[in-house]
Amino acid sequence: MTSEVVENEFEFYSKAEKYWKDVPATVDGMLGGYGHISSIDINSSRKFLQRFLRDGPNRTGTTRALDCGAGIGRITKRLLLPLFKTVDMVDVTQDFLTKAKSYLGEEGRRVRNYYCCGLQDFSPEPSSYDVIWIQWVIGHLTDNHLSDFLKRCRAGLRPNGIVVIKDNMAQEGVIMDDVDSSVCRDLDVVRKIIRRAGLHLLAEERQENFPDEIYHVYTFAMR
């Protein structure tokens, strides 16, 4: 649990904010020097997401999506804008959101809102989103804040909407990264937090074809 590795909550959040302020506003910066895996990541995410967007009585809509920890909009540009009518972005670093406006190009006109906010303080608009996409950012929240945020995400879903988490998973327990002030949890810890938030897991998938030296990455869909 993060309570075992996060000694000072205020410091945990402020150190992370400071870290990201110094990161270049590029795809490579967003991916910690692994910009070359972006296409593999996006293609897998698209396949994962499209299974919920296909025809059927419980089909997830394509009106509006929310990109959490959006950075410069890598996922908004290549995954969400091609599939949804409008997208909202939220990130703690204003410079990234400013850069997003040029990075997204013409299609960026369909981004309705750019929210500059840490997810621990952010509340999605109730009953507004078909998909809330949360990638490579849950490690910046304590367990309690993550559980509370997921509860607010649940309230932010439209009928048949889903919350998606895609993130690194530790082999066992919770590992602290002092460099960017984040934690990496194992699968059991993440599943427990999801259940605690009152969400039901619909699908879980391990990312393939990523470099061997990085953490295993898993994608979860829930509502």
Side-chain angles (χ1 to χ4, degrees), residues 174-192:
V174 180
I175 300 164
M176 182 77 190
D177 184 339
D178 281 322
V179 176
D180 67 355
S181 192
S182 69
V183 295
C184 186
R185 302 168 172 93
D186 71 24
L187 279 166
D188 283 345
V189 173
V190 173
R191 288 188 197 113
K192 273 181 198 153

Side-chain angles (χ1 to χ4, degrees), residues 9 71 85 93 95 134 206 212:
E9 199 175 274
K85 288 191 182 78
T93 307
D95 284 353
I134 310 165
R206 183 177 160 192
D212 291 338

Side-chain angles (χ1 to χ4, degrees), residues 75-184:
I75 291 161
T76 289
K77 182 183 177 91
R78 297 194 52 200
L79 176 68
L80 301 177
L81 281 173
L83 294 172
F84 296 87
K85 288 191 182 78
T86 63
V87 178
D88 289 347
M89 293 169 59
V90 55
D91 197 272
V92 75
T93 307
Q94 183 59 56
D95 284 353
F96 295 164
L97 296 174
T98 302
K99 171 70 177 181
K101 289 170 186 176
S102 58
Y103 171 72
L104 294 171
E106 278 293 293
E107 292 298 296
R109 288 178 304 177
R110 294 189 289 111
V111 175
R112 287 182 13 147
N113 296 294
Y114 296 85
Y115 298 109
C116 186
C117 188
L119 298 184
Q120 70 275 17
D121 299 316
F122 182 74
S123 294
E125 269 182 62
S127 308
S128 293
Y129 297 103
D130 296 298
V131 169
I132 297 177
W133 192 273
I134 310 165
Q135 184 161 346
W136 279 321
V137 70
I138 65 168
H140 285 302
L141 297 177
T142 64
D143 291 351
N144 287 340
H145 282 158
L146 177 54
S147 175
D148 289 347
F149 176 61
L150 290 175
K151 285 175 190 169
R152 297 194 297 273
C153 286
R154 193 182 73 194
L157 294 178
R158 288 157 55 93
N160 297 321
I162 56 169
V163 177
V164 178
I165 288 174
K166 186 169 187 178
D167 222 303
N168 300 337
M169 297 293 136
Q171 292 283 66
E172 190 178 351
V174 180
I175 300 164
M176 182 77 190
D177 184 339
D178 281 322
V179 176
D180 67 355
S181 192
S182 69
V183 295
C184 186

